[in-house]
Amino acid sequence: MGIPAMVALGGALLKVKDGATLILDADSGVLRVAPDAPALEAAQTALAERQARKAAAQAAAHDPCVTKDGVRIEVFANTGSLNDALAALANGAEGSGLLRTEFLFLDRETPPDENEQARQYQAIASALEGKPLIIRTLDVGGDTAAPYLPIPAEENPALGLRGVRVSLWRPHLLKTQLRAILRVRPLGQCKIMVPMIASLDELRAVRAVLEEAKRELGVTERIELGVMIETPAAAVTADLLAAEADFLSIGTNDLTQYVLAMDRGNPELAARIDALHPAVLRMIDQTCKGAARHHRWVGVCGGLASDVVAIPILLGLGVTELSSTASIAPEVKARVRGLSLESCRGLAAQALDQASPEAVRALVKSFGA
Ligand code: PEP
Ligand code: MG
């Protein structure tokens, strides 16, 4: 929604007096209490500059997105509803790189049937006016279970039945969802993406269900089927996956949690779970190299795509599609236009050799374009 926010500040926050003047600098993760006059003035100047930058980016939101050296980068937006699709369009996004379909499945007693799903997907696809829509198959797990999906209690839901594992555990749900997606017109606008892939077998099993659904509906056209790279297993075997997947999209939220072994919802770890950790960047690097072997494109649909600081590194590693929060898309485009891929590559190589996410962020700060 474009509103600055910070979380997990700890108990010290409760000591702040009511009515105190605060500077909330969410970019740097700093909350200044009762700032002095020079600090306040500096913050106001920074705010004015930021607003001017945002306004300029918004004015150019619908212009094409190409780097200074002529490389085309696709800027998409993540969606989870029809309203999000409208926001994506208004902010100049060139499509949706991730439709989280959970909105249709949660908070209800029975799963949505094929007709209801087809209607909802069609409404979102139509709202995007023919632009690409990447629909992610249901991504629920033990912590988000619905009454009609009684996932047995698990000690570690993040490591349990979730994502594609649930789809293959209850294949009739997957089949219904795939059939609904295949009914959207024009055929081909929707691509399908599978979450939480850990091995090629899972992609093959989903493809088998997709082929069955296509046969049933008499669809003979190619429908793109891609994978999310969210587990270290998927990142290090990206070459194997890319041999059979049409595209790879990196879910940096989960990838970071699994690479660093840090729960993405744990407030004590919030300050340290940073997708710019060199270990995560090395996984992204490996993903891009694996995909390149089979000439597949790699996108990022996790939160890192909405972190403008990360963009030159992602492009330098070989990412060519960014699916961000809709409100950030104009700034993502503006940043891409100011970059040359050649220098991004140099920056990315250096980033991989840093010792910490802080060092990576410092390195980017000193990088021009
Ligand atoms: C991710 O894990 O980065 C992702 C895009 O999926 P979600 O945030 O829905 O888990
Ligand atoms: Mg995820």
Side-chain angles (χ1 to χ4, degrees), residues 98 100 136 139 162 228 230 251-254 264 301-303:
L98 164 64
R100 291 184 168 102
R136 177 174 76 182
D139 187 12
R162 56 165 302 192
M228 284 188 79
E230 299 185 282
T252 51
N253 309 333
D254 276 312
R264 63 191 262 191
C301 63

Side-chain angles (χ1 to χ4, degrees), residues 166-184:
V166 171
S167 295
L168 297 175
W169 178 62
R170 290 291 179 268
H172 60 280
L173 278 178
L174 174 65
K175 172 82 139 327
T176 303
Q177 187 168 32
L178 295 176
R179 283 178 55 108
I181 297 170
L182 290 172
R183 283 171 50 188
V184 177

Side-chain angles (χ1 to χ4, degrees), residues 186-201:
L187 212 57
Q189 180 187 353
C190 294
K191 307 174 204 290
I192 298 162
M193 178 161 85
V194 190
M196 290 300 300
I197 288 279
S199 38
L200 181 57
D201 279 356

Side-chain angles (χ1 to χ4, degrees), residues 309-348:
V309 167
I311 295 173
I313 297 179
L314 294 177
L315 300 199
L317 292 175
V319 168
T320 59
E321 180 248 30
L322 298 163
S323 193
S324 71
T325 301
S327 61
I328 303 281
E331 287 166 81
V332 173
K333 279 186 159 181
R335 185 71 185 114
V336 170
R337 291 188 198 111
L339 296 169
S340 105
L341 195 62
E342 198 51 44
S343 37
C344 289
R345 289 202 180 107
L347 175 75

Side-chain angles (χ1 to χ4, degrees), residues 4 21-28 30-53:
T21 301
L22 304 174
I23 299 174
L24 175 70
D25 180 359
D27 281 342
S28 326
V30 175
L31 181 76
R32 289 186 70 158
V33 181
D36 57 16
L40 206 55
E41 204 182 306
Q44 266 148 359
T45 310
L47 260 181
E49 281 168 7
R50 185 194 181 90
Q51 263 144 15
R53 214 172 44 238

